Amino acid sequence: MPLSWFRAEQFRCLASVELELDPAANIFIGPNASGKTSLLEAAFFLGRGRSFRSRRRDSLIRHGQDAFVLTGRSSGGVAPVMLGVRARRNGTDWQAGGAPASGVAALAEQFPAQVIDPEIHKLLEEGPGRRRRFLDWGVFHVEPAFLTTWRRYHLALRQRNAALKQGRADSDLAAWEQELGASGEELVRQREAYLARLRDPLRTIGEALLGSPITLVHSRGWDENKPLLEALGADRGRDQRYGATQSGPHRGDAAVEVGGLAAKDHVSRGQQKLVAAGLMLAQLQIQEEERPGRSALLLDDPAAELDGENLARLMSAVRAVPAQLWVTSLRSDIRGLPERGRMFHVEQGTIRPD
Ligand SMILES: Nc1ncnc2c1ncn2[C@@H]1O[C@H](COP(=O)(O)OP(=O)(O)O)[C@@H](O)[C@H]1O
Ligand SMILES: [Mg+2]
């Protein structure tokens, strides 16, 4: 199972909570502002190294404290692995298996957490950044070379952008373009392989949730008729005027369609939530194929913005995905909550089992 035990200290309104978790389903019931989303945010941080609702890490530290500490026991692999993170205002320390880790990647492999929250429609509505992050998170779990490729690409991108800003000669730019071209093509190849793998699960989950297949239409981020190296050379003048590289996978996108129409423009807000949830569920399914028994789905207030019918569809699609479920709700009588599992009551930053 993913996490069998979890502790959060000084995280938002949670002074200290400790949970023995059910392998399949954990249900957190509590009134508004009791700390339900904060708990999911803490679990997400342990596996992902960031919050899903705030960019400012400092806002996650409980008022009046200087650090938060999260600890979990991952029991998905052969032997249990302890995971830990301690975040101070000026730095974060990671631990996996009793040893310091250089970053969150080692924890993400053990506890790949995915979230569906009331803001999830932003995945469709906002610009391509969120969709690229979604895509790259998926690639990370199936392609061992991804992190190396991604870092190579972004290092070369920073170097070329710096050279552009400094008004350096064409020959200096061309040197970085070799590396950008090679790593950028590789990154796109990895994204495309992952998108091909998403195709079937997305079709099936879309049919179940919306009665139509969900598809992702990839754009690489530059003129599709040219190799990246060539596009970079051809666009050098424009990039010099902008002072930044305008071509490459850092400008790529995966547009979301439902039944062949752009989801952003053609479906209602409630349906957008289902579409975005479908993307997360398809991704979870692949994650579980790669590393069975480790994934968690954090489902925050599923009843928000969904009518009874759509909520029932979402909950039945959620049940079909083999991940540990952490679900929050204002009430325990909403449709489709798991019947088995462990129930907890959340009240003013404390959590106790039913
Ligand atoms: N850094 C922090 N320190 C202390 N309390 C916080 C911090 N950040 C947010 N809170 C408080 O945490 C409470 C719980 O929020 P939340 O987890 O969103 O509750 P719920 O999801 O149950 O509605 C809110 O009252 C909020 O003001
Ligand atoms: Mg909440």
Side-chain angles (χ1 to χ4, degrees), residues 188-215:
V188 160
R189 195 196 56 71
Q190 294 172 359
R191 283 183 182 166
E192 283 173 348
Y194 179 68
L195 281 162
R197 216 169 142 179
L198 264 181
R199 205 166 293 142
D200 282 344
L202 265 184
R203 186 182 311 123
T204 315
I205 290 170
E207 294 282 1
L209 283 174
L210 299 133
S212 297
I214 301 172
T215 41

Side-chain angles (χ1 to χ4, degrees), residues 11 57 97 134 186 206-207 234 255-256 278 292 310 323 331:
F11 189 94
R57 203 193 37 197
F134 165 83
E186 180 60 17
E207 294 282 1
V256 188
N310 281 335
R331 304 195 332 246

